[in-house]
Amino acid sequence: NCIFARMNSEDVKAIEALLSKPQKIAIVPHKNPDGDAIGSSLGLWHYLKAKGQEVRVIVPNDYPRFLKWMPGTNEVLNFERDNAAAVEYLNNADICFTLDFNHLGRVGQMTPILEGLKATFIMIDHHQAPDSYAQITYSDAKMSSTSEMVFNFISYMGDVEKISSEIADCLYAGIVTDTGSFKYSSTTSKTHRVVAELIDRGANSFKVQNVIFDTNTPDRLQLLGCALNNMVILEDYNTAYTTLSQEELNAHNYKKGDTEGFVNYSLTLQNIRFAVIFIENKEEGIIKISFRSEGSFSVNEFARNHFHGGGHTNAAGGRSESNMEDTIKYFKALLENYKDQLSK
Ligand code: 5GP
Ligand code: MN
């Protein structure tokens, strides 16, 4: 029954003991939650609810429209929008699951609240270099997604039979978004076995992919056109970058999530191993940056070392507090130090 799992058995026993009593449980994903953050959180939420626990998902801020079909989405507390209720729930929580991130800085404005909680922390995450804030850490950077790990967790609890079609749809959504529809190198045969099990348990793979990937708006496609037009290729560094200014975003009625996946287009160019998108956010006074690579060049290190960010070897994010022009200048100057790595 546990063929999918890779979790320390003492940790599993400790969690089983905790969950043998009624607990007040919070589930918290990272800021600007993506498909994996929301899918893993709601998948775990349905599972713990079915086990009779009091449980809520609390997101640091809003998430994109193309994720709001997920069962349970209407019961999610948004720390920005429902602040008082979220703070009260967190302060009284016995257990706090943190999903799809591994250092408390990743929850934005929620960081000081989480740092002060008396709750037992349980981390489930697939990013590199986890911090040690959690009493129980299930961390595996080889995993395709946190959603795959939530499946493993349920399997380790001996509860695969308890996976409902709601849980299956949520976890499927998380896996399909974080693997680029099973295409990225993090996708393993085990990922496919987990997904097969989810489909057997009621995940509607066609419906889920359709609602996530095939519900574009004309505005969003035209914004993509704008990003592709702005693309700059730096042949000597096998690098391509693109930009979107706040003005360009406004001109296309930008909504949260609209730029998801844009950075991947540059990476499909032959010989391009490093792709970057710089997106201006005037309200926060930052440039939000997404980094992608193919092969051994670690964008995790690059984002960590130069742009206050992090992530995975081939997908990471960060930010700059300078304006667009200065950010690009700084970025280009940095590339010189990586020329060997990028051209081999
Ligand atoms: P994206 O570029 O799609 O926003 O994020 C790519 C990956 O990098 C995701 O796994 C995401 O969790 C991570 N990531 C994005 N932004 C940040 C950041 O500011 N800090 C850290 N540590 N990770 C980030
Ligand atoms: Mn993830």
Side-chain angles (χ1 to χ4, degrees), residues 19 21-27 44-45 47-57 77 85 88-90 92-97:
L19 296 182
K21 287 172 290 198
Q23 308 276 3
K24 191 177 176 97
I25 303 173
I27 300 173
L44 181 63
W45 179 75
Y47 167 69
L48 293 173
K49 214 158 68 93
K51 282 179 86 77
Q53 297 293 347
E54 180 185 2
V55 55
R56 296 216 72 161
V57 174
L77 279 180
E88 195 198 319
Y89 192 92
L90 285 166
N92 293 309
D94 304 304
I95 300 174
C96 182
F97 280 88

Side-chain angles (χ1 to χ4, degrees), residues 209-333:
Q209 296 227 44
N210 186 268
V211 69
I212 292 176
F213 300 117
D214 298 341
T215 52
N216 262 318
T217 58
D219 272 332
R220 179 179 185 261
L221 281 193
Q222 276 151 15
L223 185 65
L224 171 62
C226 180
L228 296 178
N229 256 322
N230 291 346
M231 186 173 64
V232 176
I233 294 170
L234 305 169
E235 262 177 65
D236 290 349
Y237 305 93
N238 300 96
T239 295
Y241 73 85
T242 187
T243 58
L244 283 172
S245 67
Q246 186 71 62
E247 260 182 20
E248 289 166 326
L249 295 166
N250 295 350
H252 296 91
N253 288 308
Y254 169 78
K255 305 261 176 344
K256 204 172 196 80
D258 279 354
T259 57
E260 195 74 39
F262 284 11
V263 64
N264 296 314
Y265 285 87
S266 322
L267 208 58
T268 64
L269 289 165
Q270 226 173 1
N271 297 326
I272 293 300
R273 299 202 190 120
F274 186 23
V276 186
I277 188 167
F278 299 89
I279 302 172
E280 189 176 28
N281 183 334
K282 274 258 161 83
E283 196 186 318
E284 292 189 28
I286 61 162
I287 309 286
K288 176 72 190 146
I289 315 171
S290 287
F291 302 99
R292 298 292 185 270
S293 68
E294 238 166 55
S296 59
F297 181 66
S298 172
V299 290
N300 172 43
E301 304 277 321
F302 191 86
R304 244 170 225 273
N305 291 340
H306 308 296
F307 291 99
H308 318 283
H312 312 278
T313 303
N314 297 127
R319 73 194 137 81
S320 155
E321 269 143 34
S322 310
N323 65 26
M324 186 69 89
E325 201 189 329
D326 293 346
T327 302
I328 303 278
K329 246 190 228 153
Y330 175 62
F331 168 72
K332 283 187 175 169

